[in-house]
Amino acid sequence: MRIPLIVANWKMNKTVPEALSFAGEFLPEVKDITGRDILIAPPFTALLSMAGMLKGSNVLLSAQDVFYEEKGAYTGQISASMLKDAGCEFVIIGHSERRQHFGETDGTVNKKTKAALKAGLKVILCIGETLDERNAGRTFEVTGAQLKEGLKEIDLSGIVIAYEPVWAIGTGVTAAPEQAEEAHSRIREDLRTLYGRQADETRILYGGSVTPENVDILMAQPDMDGALVGGASLKAVSFVRIVKYKKTGG
Ligand code: PGA
């Protein structure tokens, strides 16, 4: 049974007071939701205060990145055990913005994932193709390689995959539901090749311009196990609606 997972990725947004004010508005609205996992990934600076606010609620805390070393002279970095200590249960690794702007590679994704799992965190591992790669017909070659390299020597339990086509992130262009489903089922197929039946228990999330308007039809696709939401997760009312998606045929 794959329990749907809806994630707010706030990226570099919200001060501590803003984060707490969001939580104050959001938590009462979602407190009765069962059968869905809900996750918020604020910036590092708001993790600890958010952990206090989310305690005892049905909303879990995630970080947006982690470094792979345990401790030492790595100015500016945050380790997996520090995230655990701050109250995180999950961490997002390999987001395309990190690959694009901060030199993240499948190799660093692999090291970070191993470090996070070792510290007892669960990992949302992001993969996805650029527009040029899609236009060149290389989508599944790219996602397949990202999976294989990113997950090298790693067991699938504790891993959630997020398929985020780069061309759909923050652009307002969402993958068509059939396009997203095609990618998800292909990713599950690749996971089956690598892991056998465990692939059927692994959640695959879609990310890229998910909104209250398109979440219902996206979530109606059979291989869609949740959403990773950026822009539309910044306002409580919008993220509440996304968390409360109802599957529709469209
Ligand atoms: P978006 O971002 O919803 O703003 O497109 C999604 C993501 O990058 O996780």
Side-chain angles (χ1 to χ4, degrees):
M1 244 293 268
R2 305 192 298 262
I3 298 170
L5 170 63
I6 308 290
V7 186
N9 174 15
W10 284 351
K11 310 191 179 184
M12 198 172 70
N13 292 290
K14 294 197 191 292
T15 60
V16 172
E18 286 166 352
L20 295 179
S21 146
F22 178 106
E25 204 184 322
F26 179 71
L27 291 177
E29 295 291 330
V30 299
K31 69 176 178 8
D32 296 325
I33 293 182
T34 53
R36 285 175 196 187
D37 290 339
I38 309 167
L39 201 54
I40 298 181
F44 287 133
T45 46
L47 284 176
L48 195 56
S49 335
M50 281 294 278
M53 191 85 181
L54 300 183
K55 206 171 179 154
S57 79
N58 56 341
V59 179
L60 298 172
L61 190 65
S62 174
Q64 299 173 14
D65 186 31
V66 64
F67 190 52
Y68 47 75
E69 294 292 348
E70 271 175 41
K71 60 162 88 161
Y74 301 103
T75 302
Q77 298 292 358
I78 308 275
S79 74
S81 56
M82 288 171 180
L83 295 180
K84 191 78 186 155
D85 181 52
C88 292
E89 308 244 4
F90 280 80
V91 57
I92 298 169
I93 294 179
H95 190 281
S96 68
E97 285 152 14
R98 298 224 52 93
R99 294 178 190 256
Q100 220 175 318
H101 305 301
F102 304 101
E104 192 85 85
T105 63
D106 293 328
T108 55
V109 166
N110 182 258
K111 285 192 194 178
K112 288 179 174 191
T113 303
K114 284 177 179 160
L117 294 172
K118 190 170 165 210
L121 293 165
K122 295 191 184 85
V123 171
I124 299 171
L125 195 157
C126 304
I127 60 172
E129 82 288 1
T130 63
L131 190 56
D132 282 351
E133 289 163 343
R134 175 163 281 267
N135 289 340
R138 296 184 50 228
T139 298
F140 302 123
E141 177 197 325
V142 169
T143 55
Q146 287 171 333
L147 274 184
K148 196 157 173 234
E149 295 302 312
L151 288 171
K152 201 179 245 169
E153 297 153 6
I154 288 172
D155 183 81
L156 258 196
S157 40
I159 304 283
V160 173
I161 304 294
Y163 169 65
E164 299 207 298
V166 178
W167 45 272
I169 296 178
T171 56
V173 181
T174 322
E178 316 76 59
Q179 235 173 356
E181 173 58 23
E182 183 195 22
H184 281 225
S185 72
R186 181 60 187 263
I187 289 164
R188 201 176 304 287
E189 215 33 71
D190 287 345
L191 287 175
R192 266 191 213 112
T193 308
L194 296 168
Y195 294 95
R197 309 274 326 234
Q198 222 185 342
D200 295 298
E201 282 139 43
T202 303
R203 290 181 283 192
I204 305 176
L205 316 182
Y206 169 78
S209 300
V210 174
T211 63
E213 290 71 39
N214 61 28
V215 67
D216 295 346
I217 181 137
L218 283 166
M219 285 305 296
Q221 310 306 310
D223 281 290
M224 206 64 64
D225 304 318
L228 180 50
V229 189
S233 73
L234 292 171
K235 288 213 162 61
V237 44
S238 152
F239 193 53
V240 166
R241 172 61 185 85
I242 290 174
V243 165
K244 292 186 174 171
Y245 72 84
K246 316 176 238 333
K247 293 184 182 190
T248 58

